[in-house]
Amino acid sequence: MRLRSLLSCLAGLCLLSGLAAAQQCATRDDTAYTAQILKNTTLRQFDTDLTNHLPFSSCVDAPDKFLGHIVGAPNVLDKIETIEAYMRHLESQSKRVKVFDIGKSEEGKETIMVAVSDAATIANLDHYRDITAKLADPRGLSASAADALIAQGKPMYWAAGSIHSPETGSPEMLMELAYRLAVEDTPFIRNIRQHEIVLITPATEVDGRDREVELYNHHKAHPKDPQPGLIWWGHYVDHDNNRDGLTLALDLSRNMMNTFLQWHPTVLHDLHESVPYLYVSTGTGPYNPWLDPLEINEWQRMAFYDIDHLNEQGVIGAWTHGFFDGWAPNYMLYVAIGHNAVGRFYETQGNGGADTRFASAPPSDTSLQWYRPSPPLPRVNWSARDNINMQESGILFSISNVAINHEEFLRDFYLKSLHSVEKAATEGPAAWVFPGNDPRLGLQARLIDQLQYQGVEIDRATAAFSAAGTVPGGSDKAAERHFPAGSYIVRMDQPYSREADMLLGQEYYAPTAPPPYDDTGWTMGALANVTTVKIADPAVLKVAMTKVSGFVAAPGGARGSGGVYAINANADPNIASFRYRLAATPMQVAEKAFEADGHHFNAGSVIIAHADAIAIANAARATGVEATALAAAPQVPMHALAAPRIAVMHNWQSTAQDGWYRISLDELKIPYTYIADTTLRQTADLRSKFDVIIVPPVGYSLTSMLSGVSGAKPIPWQNTPDMPDLAPPGLDSTPDIRGGLGLAGVEHLEQFVNAGGLLVAVGPSMALATDTGMAEGVSTRQPPQGPEGLNARGDVLRAEVSDANSPIAYGYNPALDVYYSTGLLLATGGGGRGGFGGRGGASGRTSGIGSLTEPNVFQSRPSDAALLKESLGGHNPTPAELAAGRGGFGRGAAVGPPPRVIVRFVPDAHDLLLSGLLVGGQAIAGQPLLVDARHGQGHILLFAGNPFWRNETSGEFSLLLNAAMNYQSLNVGTPAPGRGGRGRGRRGGR
Ligand SMILES: [Zn+2]
């Protein structure tokens, strides 16, 4: 076969000739480097003819000349500055290399992309970028013009290293790859340079790379010091940093997306390290159903090409068809996959640094399977160089595949782009419309801009129009709708129609499919609480419209004249941004809806009297809220709207989740203090410092939250001269990370709530309040397990506001779609845990009158509330009596002020699922999703879902933000005692 002849020149000396003589540089084998490669490779089966040597160049310095060690040397890793400096050193010595700055990280570090090809191509990169840009947007491109471009063009293969910071090999490997591609003079490498442009980003997550390397090298220098794990990878999130593909909130996501849109690489290859020895991505399916079949085929053929060629070289343990599913579009790889290019990844066996170590693997990774005919060994000695060899050999075969078949890969890219443009007329829909009269224009603008970050084109209707459409989760039957001028239109006859349709549509993950690897539902309009309408009829494309240029903002500002301003409550988080922007200005909240000067204002609307008109107008414009000047304040009950002092807690075990809270709050410019569990343990008077403490999902059990990190002696997390990047501004440091929250921390939180603070606990962190008795009348329970148990995996589910009078629900409609993944469930009412065992008992109620959610009515006796009152001699219980009676009604029966269920899942299990995988929904149908419990003077807000999930759940942000700004007035709207309204008056104070 052709590759064989290309490889035939690999051994020994290959002197320059012909085209490659652009630089008169003699090459020969770099015998010292080659000897080091062979010495550090533990098995011949972990190397190939591509990487078992390195050429010496008389013009260009090999990595060891610059670094002082070969790539893959044991016990040493390089920081990003060093790696980028080496790439620039290559650029200075070789006309085949060019380095581009592709953007800064959150902590100000540079991310680069290195282009390697032959010198003539590098000198004409703009020309080749112009070709891929034209193929990426085939509108108006004739078939013959496309053919000509494909014949002239060069595919671009983009290798991206270490997005996951503890996966340390790829940034090292990519230095050697760049050098090898630039200097090696074999037919195999020459063919790559001639027909392809290789792009290399050595580390996608540059902040995390440096923290990891500092920790590792420090440990090598001070082996007796305690070694903490990598607490922060990037500035915000750790492993989730490649799950930011929907909203592109992280700098790395935007850097990669922007670079893609400038270059249109044909393939993006992400390098990961987790399983032995080389897993090539295809996934098991079900595949994302929006993808072009060509994309799916390319995954398969590229994977088998790599494995086939590795096997020809005698390599063992290369395999495919496992590991993940290929369903969710939340991966960083959707920078390519969602934009008509190929996105793929490797998982190689890493080294936890650069150690050579004895490695064992479970049967799940070593069993013989049809997709793994030469499985990895159960046990082996594994070196950093082994990892380098596997990655570099595999990706060289991939790159060579694209070079050999350069026209076909470019043609497939063009065809996928063409099919996307044709989508409106073939599979449809024709467009998605965002109505101009959406009540939440701030959230709408946010979502429109998230689509624009993806390169999706947006149009805006210049006149009103009508079209039949459907909304996700609504009736399947299209209904005629009227859209005002100013409505946004996302046309499906554009290159990135597929990405837009995928993000906005509804998805169904069958229970019979292989278990999902990550989220299964993501419908973004639903999660943003924004109306999106899918239009099938292509006539909508003829509506008068103009292209939106630049990012959009919600129309904010002040209107009218008068001494009092009102801002309509619409559950838009921009209202919180506005509140904090004018933090010193007193503001009130109208507790009831009202009409004024011809406008309707919902309950919860913000009222500002004695306002500085200019300051209001500026703040309203900057935050995208509409402030209406009124002649007089409305005659409705009001209370103060606070700009509370917020703390966001983290622990020292994992910062996986708290970062999503920080990034969304930062985006909204809502200030907060980032505080450790250990600090809460050591801080007695929390109430004097904070009004609201948010505990994101930080642990899997109460025990782990209380005990935290353990160790025999103090474990510091602090900057040192050799570790200057551990704790940059905005992150945290401590002389000792041990000890967790501890009982003292729980006591401090209890005192904080008791003294009037608001504690927000999310997901597993709810146990802090429920399992300690702090959240009176609320309990948590594990969801039912087993085949008939609950299986919700990152879904969009339908919920409803069940206590519209609570300030937490201000601005919300009765119906609300939420993110949910199987986790701790909430129950209100005494005796929680005891009664939930059997099937049908999931709600905690026993058989009786009413529905699952409607309270029972006990026959031939007055109501519970009436009996309680009578037992007290005819008065309703005073707070003192309630406090004194706490716990006195038998096992677990709390008698404090009843908790309020603010949001619950819809009552019928058949109506629950909007998008994703759901089995056993009856376990959650009608169940509480958000509960407001009282304790002492304060409140505890318990979220069974997660209102700040990966920056996707902007529609839920205001549940938390409303609670925070109204933290002093959360009792507003509580039904008078003894009335026994819906959902309360149950035994045990429900
Ligand atoms: Zn990874």
Side-chain angles (χ1 to χ4, degrees):
M1 66 200 299
R2 187 167 175 204
L3 186 84
R4 275 279 163 225
S5 64
L6 291 179
L7 283 173
S8 63
C9 188
L10 282 169
L13 305 179
C14 274
L15 289 175
L16 280 181
S17 61
L19 280 175
Q23 287 175 285
Q24 297 299 324
C25 305
T27 62
R28 57 172 171 78
D29 186 52
D30 186 333
T31 50
Y33 198 109
T34 296
Q36 286 291 312
I37 292 174
L38 300 178
K39 179 180 163 217
N40 288 299
T41 300
T42 65
L43 265 188
R44 182 187 57 76
Q45 284 83 354
F46 302 148
D47 207 352
T48 68
D49 292 342
L50 300 179
T51 54
N52 62 7
H53 66 281
L54 196 77
F56 171 87
S57 163
S58 60
C59 307
V60 185
D61 290 334
D64 60 333
K65 298 286 178 301
F66 191 86
L67 305 171
H69 61 84
I70 70 157
V71 163
N75 304 321
V76 58
L77 292 174
D78 296 291
K79 290 185 68 173
I80 196 67
E81 293 91 331
T82 307
I83 293 168
E84 294 180 354
Y86 177 65
M87 295 300 199
R88 291 214 152 87
H89 187 66
L90 282 183
E91 179 186 37
S92 73
Q93 294 183 325
S94 172
K95 290 187 166 56
R96 295 169 177 164
V97 178
K98 196 158 174 57
V99 178
F100 296 86
D101 177 354
I102 63 166
K104 296 272 187 293
S105 69
E106 282 82 358
E107 294 173 10
K109 290 180 190 276
E110 186 184 25
T111 312
I112 63 166
M113 187 176 75
V114 185
V116 190
S117 190
D118 62 30
T121 305
I122 291 295
N124 284 295
L125 281 175
D126 286 348
H127 170 66
Y128 293 101
R129 284 208 309 199
D130 189 49
I131 291 175
T132 52
K134 284 182 173 140
L135 294 174
D137 184 0
R139 287 173 294 188
L141 188 67
S142 70
S144 57
D147 285 344
L149 289 170
I150 289 165
Q152 290 174 45
K154 297 195 180 189
M156 301 178 191
Y157 198 106
W158 190 9
S162 194
I163 192 169
H164 285 158
S165 305
E167 302 166 14
T168 52
S170 53
E172 306 285 333
M173 182 279 283
L174 290 167
M175 287 189 280
E176 187 175 289
L177 180 72
Y179 172 79
R180 191 184 296 281
L181 288 170
V183 309
E184 187 151 337
D185 196 39
T186 57
F188 182 93
I189 298 290
R190 263 206 308 272
N191 189 60
I192 291 171
R193 281 198 300 263
Q194 188 178 344
H195 292 298
E196 192 174 7
I197 299 164
V198 178
L199 305 173
I200 296 171
T201 291
T204 313
E205 174 59 88
V206 288
D207 295 333
R209 170 68 184 181
D210 275 357
R211 263 191 281 283
E212 171 71 19
V213 171
E214 287 172 13
L215 268 186
Y216 180 77
N217 288 343
H218 179 88
H219 178 59
K220 286 291 161 192
H222 308 87
K224 292 204 170 128
D225 282 4
Q227 191 189 18
L230 187 63
I231 292 169
W232 289 277
W233 300 12
H235 194 76
Y236 287 108
V237 296
D238 52 31
H239 189 271
D240 255 11
N241 65 357
N242 73 333
R243 306 293 204 284
D244 183 39
L246 300 186
T247 76
L248 306 177
L250 300 169
D251 284 348
L252 71 85
S253 308
R254 290 191 191 173
N255 291 342
M256 296 297 282
M257 189 70 249
N258 291 339
T259 305
F260 179 91
L261 294 172
Q262 289 162 26
W263 290 75
H264 305 96
T266 325
V267 183
L268 171 56
H269 186 142
D270 201 17
L271 292 157
H272 290 259
E273 295 163 30
S274 64
V275 292
Y277 298 119
L278 173 60
Y279 165 75
V280 186
S281 66
T282 56
T284 57
Y287 293 140
N288 185 306
W290 275 274
L291 298 181
D292 194 307
L294 291 174
E295 173 84 19
I296 309 295
N297 301 338
E298 284 165 320
W299 291 351
Q300 315 298 330
R301 55 184 284 214
M302 293 180 84
F304 285 110
Y305 184 97
D306 295 355
I307 294 166
D308 185 38
H309 286 80
L310 288 165
N311 286 349
E312 285 177 6
Q313 291 277 320
V315 167
I316 63 172
W319 55 288
T320 185
H321 184 78
F323 196 77
F324 95 131
D325 49 45
W327 176 257
N330 53 14
Y331 294 95
M332 188 279 284
L333 277 174
Y334 270 71
V335 158
I337 298 172
H339 299 82
N340 305 320
V342 181
R344 60 199 301 262
F345 66 92
Y346 279 177
E347 299 282 348
T348 56
Q349 176 148 320
N351 302 73
D355 292 13
T356 301
R357 57 183 188 177
F358 189 80
S360 54
S364 58
D365 291 341
T366 57
S367 61
L368 180 68
Q369 303 286 350
W370 72 261
Y371 51 80
R372 193 162 53 207
S374 178
L377 305 167
R379 283 176 292 280
V380 78
N381 192 37
W382 184 256
S383 70
R385 184 65 214 186
D386 293 336
N387 183 29
I388 300 294
N389 293 339
M390 295 296 278
Q391 282 187 1
E392 190 174 338
S393 296
I395 203 165
L396 275 168
F397 282 124
S398 303
I399 291 168
S400 173
N401 180 15
V402 174
I404 292 167
N405 300 293
H406 54 99
E407 287 204 15
E408 186 176 2
F409 275 97
L410 273 186
R411 181 171 303 283
D412 277 6
F413 173 62
Y414 159 72
L415 285 174
K416 285 183 287 182
S417 305
L418 182 66
H419 297 166
S420 293
V421 171
E422 292 170 345
K423 180 176 171 61
T426 50
E427 69 267 31
W432 283 85
V433 177
F434 291 57
N437 54 358
D438 191 301
R440 282 171 272 279
L441 293 176
L443 284 166
Q444 184 190 70
R446 191 176 194 274
L447 183 52
I448 289 287
D449 282 348
Q450 285 169 351
L451 292 173
Q452 294 206 82
Y453 291 138
Q454 302 274 1
V456 173
E457 293 172 7
I458 308 289
D459 286 272
R460 202 155 192 199
T462 51
F465 66 99
S466 296
T470 56
V471 298
S475 164
D476 292 341
K477 208 162 168 292
E480 186 76 3
R481 290 163 187 271
H482 305 286
F483 300 100
S487 296
Y488 291 111
I489 299 172
V490 188
R491 301 176 65 104
M492 293 292 111
D493 58 353
Q494 61 165 306
Y496 304 138
S497 61
R498 205 168 292 291
E499 174 76 2
D501 193 41
M502 178 190 302
L503 297 181
L504 298 171
Q506 235 180 316
E507 43 280 340
Y508 175 75
Y509 195 103
T512 50
Y517 188 71
D518 202 85
D519 284 350
T520 58
W522 52 80
T523 309
M524 286 178 75
L527 290 178
N529 203 8
V530 163
T531 302
T532 57
V533 186
K534 186 163 71 169
I535 312 284
D537 185 352
V540 71
L541 301 174
K542 302 273 197 306
V543 164
M545 63 180 95
T546 55
K547 189 92 44 216
V548 169
S549 62
F551 292 108
V552 303
R559 62 180 178 187
S561 60
V564 176
Y565 284 90
I567 296 167
N568 184 37
N570 61 355
D572 196 319
N574 285 354
I575 293 176
S577 303
F578 175 86
R579 180 69 193 94
Y580 278 95
R581 199 174 169 98
L582 296 177
T585 303
M587 299 187 192
Q588 303 283 114
V589 180
E591 294 176 3
K592 299 238 179 308
F594 64 93
E595 310 282 332
D597 297 1
H599 300 288
H600 175 82
F601 292 89
N602 295 323
S605 292
V606 181
I607 308 294
I608 313 157
H610 316 296
D612 173 344
I614 293 171
I616 299 277
N618 287 343
R621 206 174 304 116
T623 57
V625 305
E626 255 184 286
T628 305
L630 304 178
Q635 295 301 306
V636 289
M638 292 195 232
H639 64 257
L641 185 74
R645 299 164 298 170
I646 294 176
V648 175
M649 193 195 97
H650 73 87
N651 66 17
W652 296 101
Q653 292 125 293
S654 167
T655 58
Q657 287 301 321
D658 69 66
W660 292 116
Y661 284 70
R662 288 183 286 127
I663 200 166
S664 297
L665 292 173
D666 285 347
E667 195 177 313
L668 290 164
K669 298 192 169 62
I670 295 174
Y672 59 89
T673 301
Y674 192 36
I675 190 168
D677 54 351
T678 46
T679 309
L680 292 180
R681 188 185 75 220
Q682 292 152 358
T683 307
D685 185 10
L686 292 169
R687 185 67 192 91
S688 69
K689 298 174 179 65
F690 305 112
D691 305 312
V692 178
I693 297 176
I694 300 171
V695 186
V698 291
Y700 297 102
S701 70
L702 184 59
T703 313
S704 75
M705 281 184 267
L706 295 190
S707 51
V709 176
S710 58
K713 57 178 183 174
I715 307 172
W717 183 273
Q718 283 169 324
N719 288 344
T720 60
D722 65 333
M723 296 191 289
D725 292 302
L726 289 205
L731 298 186
D732 204 357
S733 65
T734 175
D736 190 4
I737 67 174
R738 295 174 307 158
L741 198 53
L743 290 172
V746 174
E747 201 179 336
H748 293 156
L749 287 174
E750 191 273 340
Q751 290 161 355
F752 165 79
V753 179
N754 202 35
L758 171 65
L759 176 65
V760 180
V762 182
S765 301
M766 295 190 299
L768 267 182
T770 54
D771 289 14
T772 57
M774 210 190 300
E776 295 159 22
V778 189
S779 57
T780 51
R781 61 193 165 88
Q782 292 296 336
Q785 313 279 320
E788 292 182 57
L790 175 67
N791 187 8
R793 187 64 195 276
D795 291 343
V796 185
L797 299 184
R798 316 220 69 177
E800 59 189 28
V801 171
S802 51
D803 190 341
N805 295 320
S806 165
I808 299 166
Y810 282 159
Y812 278 94
N813 293 353
L816 177 66
D817 303 319
V818 297
Y819 172 85
Y820 183 75
S821 210
T822 305
L824 269 191
L825 300 179
L826 275 168
T828 52
R833 280 173 186 277
F836 300 134
R839 289 170 61 186
S843 70
R845 73 160 291 178
T846 53
S847 306
I849 291 173
S851 70
L852 187 68
T853 51
E854 198 153 354
N856 208 343
V857 182
F858 301 105
Q859 303 298 292
S860 304
R861 55 183 258 190
S863 74
D864 287 11
L867 288 171
L868 173 61
K869 185 173 175 181
E870 189 180 337
S871 75
L872 287 166
H875 69 85
N876 287 319
T878 64
E881 282 166 337
L882 288 170
R886 190 182 312 149
F889 281 66
R891 197 160 57 90
V895 216
R900 296 168 76 174
V901 178
I902 310 299
V903 179
R904 63 182 171 191
F905 294 106
V906 293
D908 188 337
H910 296 103
D911 297 336
L912 266 172
L913 182 65
L914 195 146
S915 284
L917 164 69
L918 180 63
V919 178
Q922 58 275 15
I924 51 172
Q927 291 300 299
L929 184 72
L930 168 56
V931 169
D932 170 19
R934 289 198 214 172
H935 179 74
Q937 302 298 308
H939 285 252
I940 302 164
L941 202 59
L942 300 145
F943 282 94
N946 186 346
F948 280 71
W949 175 249
R950 292 178 176 168
N951 198 44
E952 296 165 19
T953 50
S954 53
E956 296 179 63
F957 288 175
S958 286
L959 293 170
L960 198 163
L961 299 173
N962 278 348
M965 292 187 292
N966 293 279
Y967 81 98
Q968 297 151 306
S969 309
L970 291 175
N971 295 341
V972 165
T974 308
R979 293 234 315 271
R982 182 181 165 89
R984 54 188 68 250
R986 299 288 309 269
R987 178 158 39 203
R990 173 172 168 153

